[in-house]
Amino acid sequence: LEQPGGCCYRNARRINRWLRLNLREEAMAAKVNGKAAAPAKEKEEEPSFYEDEENLKKLCDFLRSTEGPAVREAIEMDKRVYYLKGEKLVNFLVEPKKGTKWPASLPRFEDRQAAIAVCRDLCRLQFMHRSEKEGKGELSVSRVRDFDESGYFTWMYEGDKTFSHFMTTLLIGGFLFCTCFPIWPNFLKVFVWYLSVSLLLFIFFLITIRALLFLFVWIIGFECWFLPNLFDESLGFVDSFKPVFSFEKTAPGQLPYRFGVAVAFFSFCWWAVTQPSEFDGFIAAQGDFISDLYQGKLLSDMSQQDKEDIDKPKMPSLEDLMEMDSEDPDEDEMNEEEKLDSLLDNLMDEEEDIDEDEE
């Protein structure tokens, strides 16, 4: 091996050269791979857009707007709240409903995992909390805090307060305006009177027609309600008008009741038709009542002047004061004494007549 011209010496030089070439190639490859991995590492370490709490607020403002997912109303801890299912929220984030205008300032979600991660952040930062259903329209706070697509989540974030403050100011102004009713001009009082009477009649006829429609359909074996949730106190204003109609088959065992109600109702209709004079008088009386209601003539024992002066302070006139001064209390006392003397004289005369008859 020590001989420069030997075979082993030449092989050793070849092996050494091959090792140096391999080491040089590996170094160059490591250098290239290092340059390529650096941007990827920086990209992984770059924070997500929704990791910023302010950006989450922008997302919640969009979700709580009319463009956001549909929510339901319920009562939780004696307070009206809005809730939705976790699966519907994730589906909306991944694939919004048709016609939704997604804000240009908010990036879209590429997959369900990214949407679920953001929903977990919403629960962690208390933009919403998990709830449990206790009954129809009733919720309770769940002990489980983690996000799950199968759970129900109640919004704690109320969004922009501008509209709420505006409505509160409008409510206070309306209240103060109503308290000043005594100093309203006459034409405004008449307008409010007509509006109140019209609203009262509308509600009366709505309830009557609604009940008659249910009665007619119930007699033939079905339950049909117009605005079935109209008087449901657990629902909001808009939900009270949904659905417009409900049509279901009656429960079994109601045939005798339906037959009895049908006989009573049609008997009343037959009586009303065969008694035209009384029925016509009833219709005329109702027409007069509505006419008097609009004209303000229900208080018939009050003069028109008293109606017009109903808001004015009651002050005695000069004639009333003069009559009060002209009254003499001594004259009243003398009149009472004279009446008493006359009564005693009559009694004595009757006793004398009785004595004479006995003799």
Side-chain angles (χ1 to χ4, degrees), residues 136-312:
K136 183 179 179 182
E138 295 183 3
L139 296 176
S140 62
V141 180
S142 176
R143 296 183 178 179
V144 181
R145 302 298 182 183
D146 297 335
F147 180 82
D148 188 2
E149 293 188 47
S150 61
Y152 295 94
F153 294 88
T154 301
W155 281 109
M156 299 176 64
Y157 180 73
E158 298 181 357
D160 191 5
K161 292 287 189 178
T162 303
F163 182 75
S164 177
H165 294 334
F166 172 75
M167 294 301 295
T168 303
T169 305
L170 189 64
L171 178 63
I172 296 174
F175 176 77
L176 296 176
F177 182 73
C178 292
T179 56
C180 297
F181 180 80
I183 62 175
W184 285 8
N186 190 43
F187 76 91
L188 194 57
K189 294 180 181 180
V190 174
F191 171 75
V192 172
W193 174 259
Y194 274 71
L195 182 63
S196 303
V197 172
S198 301
L199 182 61
L200 177 63
L201 294 177
F202 172 75
I203 295 175
F204 173 77
F205 284 112
L206 175 63
I207 295 175
T208 303
I209 295 173
R210 185 170 175 266
L212 290 177
L213 176 63
F214 172 80
L215 180 63
F216 290 151
V217 181
W218 181 72
I219 288 175
I220 62 177
F222 295 92
E223 294 183 359
C224 178
W225 279 109
F226 174 68
L227 300 176
N229 296 323
L230 183 61
F231 300 106
D232 192 345
E233 297 179 355
S234 62
L235 299 178
F237 178 78
V238 178
D239 293 335
S240 298
F241 297 93
K242 297 178 182 179
V244 180
F245 281 97
S246 67
F247 193 84
E248 299 177 356
K249 188 175 180 60
T250 57
Q254 295 184 0
L255 181 60
Y257 303 102
R258 292 191 283 112
F259 179 76
V261 172
V263 171
F265 178 76
F266 288 111
S267 298
F268 171 78
C269 293
W270 177 83
W271 173 84
V273 172
T274 55
Q275 302 290 332
S277 59
E278 297 181 6
F279 187 72
D280 292 343
F282 173 77
I283 297 298
Q286 297 305 314
D288 295 339
F289 173 77
I290 294 176
S291 178
D292 293 341
L293 193 62
Y294 272 103
Q295 296 178 8
K297 295 181 180 179
L298 291 179
L299 302 177
S300 58
D301 58 339
M302 183 182 296
S303 64
Q304 184 64 29
Q305 186 64 32
D306 291 338
K307 291 181 183 179
E308 296 177 356
D309 299 339
I310 190 171
D311 295 328
K312 295 182 179 180

Side-chain angles (χ1 to χ4, degrees), residues 48-64 93 105-107 109 114-128 155 157 159:
S48 175
F49 177 83
Y50 292 109
E51 289 183 3
D52 189 357
E53 188 173 348
E54 294 298 327
N55 296 330
L56 283 177
K57 288 183 179 180
K58 296 178 181 179
L59 177 63
C60 290
D61 288 335
F62 168 67
L63 295 176
R64 293 302 311 273
L93 293 176
S105 59
L106 298 178
F109 294 89
I116 293 175
V118 170
C119 292
R120 288 174 179 170
D121 291 338
L122 293 178
C123 293
R124 179 175 58 83
L125 297 175
Q126 296 184 355
F127 287 96
M128 59 171 58
W155 281 109
Y157 180 73

